[in-house]
Amino acid sequence: MTRVGLLVVALMTSLGGCAEDSPYGEFGPSSSASAPDATFKADVKVSDTEVQVNYRFANDADEPLLLINWPGVPAGAGVRYRDDAAYVTEDADGKALLSQALFGFPDTDQTWASIPDVGVTEVAPGEVVEVEVRSTLPLTWFHPFGTDLGTGPMSIPRDVDEVRFCLGVIAPPFPESMTPQTEEDGTRTVGHASAAQHLFCSDSAAVG
């Protein structure tokens, strides 16, 4: 991840939505907060072996913003938080969605012993963050609450023909539930389902 301390003046691109009409897929993240004053640009490239996303986020506001951009990836008996990883779920209209975002509790009768965590990056006013994300093809379901959300094992259809990327951003005032804790590796984390976020999304790219 590259952090650049300068202010970028550009057109802000964003997509929003709400959980009720599932614009990010039935079990995807939701966007229920207003867009903060920020600039987001993402380039999604698909090769024979992977999807590569390069995004740039600039905080144009006068207060800090939190990016939800360190998914917890299984590593041995624990978890490693990585900003080059993305959650992989089925998007609306049967497409695929890569995301670095908060996820709410899935709307099922399934229960979980604990709330999974995700790492955050605090972006100061005027600061720019640049991140590269990669996901191997064929895409494999990766959801913070696991592969079985109460209806059996989840998977990404092999015939998806489009993919896009979304980034979750939290703006002040931050609720108490969004107070980060520091992990052993220094990553600052919060629990999923802990706040309303705004999703900044890329255009879709063709797969195959």
Side-chain angles (χ1 to χ4, degrees), residues 156-176:
I156 301 297
R158 293 301 180 101
D159 60 351
V160 294
D161 56 5
E162 290 187 33
V163 60
R164 63 173 173 158
F165 173 81
C166 291
L167 173 67
V169 181
I170 309 292
F174 303 125
E176 185 176 350

Side-chain angles (χ1 to χ4, degrees), residues 13 19 23 76 81 125 134 141 159 166 171 174 188 198 202-203 208:
T13 303
Y81 297 95
R134 295 175 182 270
W141 179 270
D159 60 351
C166 291
F174 303 125
R188 300 175 71 208
H198 181 80
S202 72
D203 293 331

Side-chain angles (χ1 to χ4, degrees), residues 38-164:
T39 301
F40 173 78
K41 182 177 180 180
D43 182 29
V44 181
K45 295 181 179 179
V46 181
S47 69
D48 292 338
T49 59
E50 68 177 10
V51 179
Q52 179 180 332
V53 180
N54 292 90
Y55 71 81
R56 179 182 178 91
F57 181 89
N59 182 359
D60 303 328
D62 57 3
E63 51 191 359
L65 300 173
L66 285 181
L67 305 189
I68 313 299
N69 68 333
W70 291 79
V73 179
V79 171
R80 179 186 175 194
Y81 297 95
R82 295 176 48 175
D83 70 341
D84 63 347
Y87 297 114
V88 184
T89 54
E90 190 170 352
D91 201 356
D93 302 321
K95 301 174 184 178
L97 177 67
L98 305 185
S99 63
Q100 294 181 334
L102 289 176
F103 282 67
F105 282 101
D107 185 17
T108 73
D109 294 331
Q110 185 90 340
T111 59
W112 284 268
S114 62
I115 301 174
D117 291 328
V118 60
V120 300
T121 298
E122 183 174 312
V123 185
E127 186 177 11
V128 174
V129 173
E130 296 179 344
V131 179
E132 181 179 281
V133 177
R134 295 175 182 270
S135 289
T136 302
L137 289 175
L139 294 172
T140 302
W141 179 270
F142 177 29
H143 191 287
F145 286 88
T147 59
D148 186 347
L149 305 181
T151 58
M154 306 294 292
S155 62
I156 301 297
R158 293 301 180 101
D159 60 351
V160 294
D161 56 5
E162 290 187 33
V163 60
R164 63 173 173 158

Side-chain angles (χ1 to χ4, degrees), residues 4-16:
V4 185
L6 56 85
L7 182 63
V8 174
V9 179
L11 177 65
M12 182 178 72
T13 303
S14 68
L15 292 178

